[in-house]
Amino acid sequence: MGPPLQITRRRLLGALAALALLGPRLAPAREDGPATRPIPSSGERLPLVGLGSWITFNVGDDRAARDACAEVMANFFRAGGQLIDSSPMYGSAQEVIGYGLAKLGHPARLFSADKVWIADGAAGRRQMETSRQRWGIPRFDLLQVHNLLAWPAHLPTLFAMKAAGQLRYVGITTSHGHRHDEMARIMASQPLDFVQLTYNLVDREVEQRLLPLARERGIAVIVNRPFQRGALLSKLGRQPLPAWAGEIDCTSWAQFALKFVISHPDVTCAISATSRVDHVLENLGTATGALPDQAMRSRMAALAARL
Amino acid sequence: MAEWWLYGPRDLLLFAPRTYYRLFELYNLELWPLQLLALALGTTVLVLWRRGGARAGRAIAAILLLCWLWVAWGFHWQRYASINLAAGYFALAFVAQALLLLWLGVLRGRLAPAPATRLQQRAGLILVLFALLGFPLLGPLLGRSWTQAEVFGMAPDPTALATLGVLLLAGGRPAWGLWPLPVAWCLVSGTTLWAMEAPDFALAPLAALLAVGLAAGGAARRSR
């Protein structure tokens, strides 16, 4: 008889890691946080819901509004959120995020995602450095080429930064359903970690090609405009939430729309921008309850198609 | 962003309506009581117009010049630029209009109150009065705070509208070089307000186009 099995911390962590590899890609929500999915290129897990900053965080020098944004960030982190996304295109949003991070003592759980957005490839590094200073962080976790602008010039710079340890992940973005052909060509030819694209209950073109391609190429997917900047919620809100939405723990149309997006198995994280604490908590709460299966997703899409 | 034409004005709106109007609120609170001086300058424009003559026209041009320069610096460059990436270009356009006022209005005396058609005079007067007194009331009438009022000489929309009114009042010999930038601003501002779904989005563009129509109609009548 061999010695009794001793459960050491290392053995326990090893067993948990093995279970994670064998288990489904979607990790169920812990009691204290939202469900997560792995970034395919590293295995690092991200909560299914992140925080965008388009419009909502562009509040300029207004101290009261900056404090309100910091409060949104504080609640986002407290509820288990990690990924915050911004861009040099979003006016003062980067500075406002930097203000919030400094006020919150630079939370360790932050996953910082920003973009390079400049036509002159040679000016890319300078812009990214300016962005980093505005956030007030040592380095970005993820930098993406915004709307594919000058991507042949920026991507080599981003890959070089990643190789030098100045950046952890590289990505590209598009929005509003534009330029999908070009995005597909870049996904097929470049060693990307992330893509960011528009996907929601009514903008579903990416299901046909880009999402399967992301799965095939091992690329994480960030979804923007899950509510079509509110237009989708306005349309949905004209009718009562169906009773069957309760089967997937939905109590609002926002949760309904967001659950549809994050339940797609190839979506890593959906970002939604808000300046309201109740909305950020509602969004993150979407990733803590039940998620729709394929049959339910079809039912949800059919309802949206009838609008 | 590449391929701008793929995006509509609402896709390109960078800020929330709340942020936009809060900008005026903080601006007004910070500079109070400068608004009273601005309104006094606007009233002086009307008094000078009543007096008439070449010197009055040059003085009106100088007042408007100062207002356009201040809006370029105090509003666009110092404040609007914090939420709108295009505000630097707006500031340059406002400086260009100030230089045009210096050249055509102050140096060449093209803003002298001159006999225009009766309709032009009435419309010009109404436009100046609306810019001075009506525009600040718009916000409160639409449910916004008094502190967010847009005042002539400090905010771009009433400044542009008052300038168009003055141009109509000096319509005997139109200084066409002074028209494009105020009209363009009214269209830009109207588009921004439309993107924000503001109920008063059409006001400045319609007033500007009406002024252009009246000026063109008056010029056509005189040329016959």
Side-chain angles (χ1 to χ4, degrees):
Chain A
M1 198 171 171
L5 182 65
Q6 289 188 338
I7 301 177
T8 64
R9 186 168 174 272
R10 179 174 292 183
R11 276 187 180 158
L12 183 61
L13 288 174
L16 287 173
L19 275 174
L21 287 173
L22 292 171
R25 295 181 75 209
L26 178 67
R30 295 171 307 167
E31 267 184 33
D32 58 345
T36 61
R37 278 211 185 91
I39 301 165
S41 64
S42 68
E44 178 182 359
R45 303 193 76 93
L46 278 179
L48 289 177
V49 175
L51 181 62
S53 58
W54 170 238
I55 292 183
T56 53
F57 274 32
N58 181 20
V59 296
D61 303 322
D62 184 347
R63 178 59 69 94
R66 284 187 172 212
D67 285 336
C69 291
E71 191 59 24
V72 167
M73 291 168 66
N75 279 276
F76 174 73
F77 288 124
R78 206 173 294 138
Q82 277 186 252
L83 186 148
I84 297 181
D85 179 79
S86 192
S87 166
M89 187 199 176
Y90 300 170
S92 57
Q94 292 175 320
E95 290 171 24
V96 172
I97 290 170
Y99 174 85
L101 290 176
K103 192 173 179 184
L104 301 176
H106 290 275
R109 58 182 307 116
L110 168 71
F111 186 98
S112 54
D114 208 285
K115 308 184 187 80
V116 56
W117 174 67
I118 193 161
D120 178 5
R125 268 189 190 268
R126 194 166 61 246
Q127 186 185 63
M128 289 183 270
E129 175 57 16
T130 302
S131 298
R132 186 193 67 74
Q133 287 173 9
R134 285 176 178 164
W135 280 64
I137 54 175
R139 67 172 181 177
F140 282 112
D141 292 302
L142 164 65
L143 278 170
Q144 308 149 95
V145 180
H146 192 139
N147 279 343
L148 310 183
L149 179 63
W151 69 265
H154 292 312
L155 275 185
T157 307
L158 293 177
F159 289 133
M161 287 172 70
K162 182 182 171 185
Q166 298 164 345
L167 175 66
R168 297 174 64 216
Y169 300 106
V170 175
I172 56 174
T173 80
T174 183
S175 62
H176 305 76
H178 298 319
R179 305 181 72 185
H180 284 180
D181 288 342
E182 192 172 4
M183 179 171 249
R185 280 197 298 276
I186 302 169
M187 288 169 70
S189 63
Q190 303 291 325
L192 298 173
D193 299 301
F194 277 85
V195 290
Q196 185 180 138
L197 41 77
T198 296
Y199 176 52
N200 53 56
L201 268 165
V202 289
D203 297 317
R204 299 176 55 204
E205 185 194 327
V206 295
E207 288 177 355
Q208 303 306 312
R209 185 166 48 146
L210 292 184
L211 291 178
L213 183 59
R215 180 173 59 236
E216 180 190 322
R217 296 278 296 162
I219 300 172
V221 175
I222 296 174
V223 168
N224 58 39
R225 292 169 63 91
F227 306 135
Q228 281 190 318
R229 222 192 109 194
L232 175 60
L233 297 184
S234 298
K235 282 184 209 160
L236 290 168
R238 290 181 200 136
Q239 56 191 324
L241 191 67
W244 48 265
E247 295 173 29
I248 48 169
D249 299 333
C250 282
T251 55
S252 70
W253 280 115
Q255 291 184 332
F256 186 93
L258 200 51
K259 274 184 187 281
F260 177 82
V261 170
I262 62 176
S263 62
H264 192 291
D266 297 323
V267 168
T268 312
C269 177
I271 49 173
S272 172
T274 180
S275 55
R276 286 177 49 171
V277 168
D278 57 336
H279 284 173
V280 81
L281 293 177
E282 182 183 26
N283 292 343
L284 268 167
T286 305
T288 58
L291 285 181
D293 58 15
Q294 188 49 50
M296 179 61 88
R297 283 175 51 80
S298 300
R299 196 174 182 186
M300 297 164 87
L303 185 149
R306 286 198 300 273
L307 292 175
Chain B
M1 192 188 305
E3 301 174 0
W4 287 97
W5 59 88
L6 294 174
Y7 300 85
R10 283 189 177 139
D11 297 327
L12 299 174
L13 186 69
L14 292 167
F15 42 80
R18 181 185 62 255
T19 302
Y20 180 74
Y21 294 118
R22 175 93 171 132
L23 202 67
F24 289 103
E25 183 176 355
L26 294 174
Y27 181 39
N28 284 331
L29 291 174
E30 195 178 329
L31 294 178
W32 173 259
L34 208 61
Q35 293 82 351
L36 299 180
L37 174 66
L39 287 176
L41 283 174
T43 309
T44 308
V45 167
L46 286 174
V47 171
L48 288 166
W49 172 75
R50 285 283 294 174
R51 182 178 294 173
R55 286 181 65 181
R58 291 178 200 277
I60 289 172
I63 289 172
L64 290 178
L65 178 165
L66 285 175
C67 292
W68 281 79
L69 269 185
W70 171 256
V71 174
W73 169 253
F75 182 76
H76 287 310
W77 189 258
Q78 290 279 301
R79 290 168 178 84
Y80 199 23
S82 72
I83 61 166
N84 191 337
L85 300 176
Y89 299 107
F90 299 154
L92 286 178
F94 272 59
V95 169
Q97 180 70 10
L99 292 175
L100 285 169
L101 282 163
L102 175 66
W103 177 42
L104 291 171
V106 178
L107 299 179
R108 298 191 60 188
R110 297 289 300 278
L111 276 190
T117 65
R118 206 173 177 78
L119 187 60
Q120 267 190 26
Q121 283 208 6
R122 280 185 185 161
L125 195 56
I126 289 171
L127 207 48
V128 174
L129 285 171
F130 173 68
L132 290 181
L133 305 174
F135 213 89
L137 296 175
L138 267 182
L141 284 175
L142 294 170
R144 297 194 296 269
S145 163
W146 274 101
T147 54
Q148 297 176 348
E150 296 172 52
V151 178
F152 162 80
M154 295 182 66
D157 289 23
T159 304
L161 288 175
T163 303
L164 291 173
V166 166
L167 291 175
L168 275 179
L169 292 174
R173 209 157 53 97
W176 291 114
L178 292 174
W179 283 82
L181 287 171
V183 171
W185 174 257
C186 288
L187 297 176
V188 166
S189 180
T191 307
T192 304
L193 294 179
W194 173 79
M196 296 195 313
E197 300 179 6
D200 52 337
F201 76 92
L203 205 60
L206 283 180
L209 295 177
L210 189 67
V212 170
L214 287 171
R221 273 180 66 177
R222 277 189 302 276
S223 66
R224 279 203 294 268

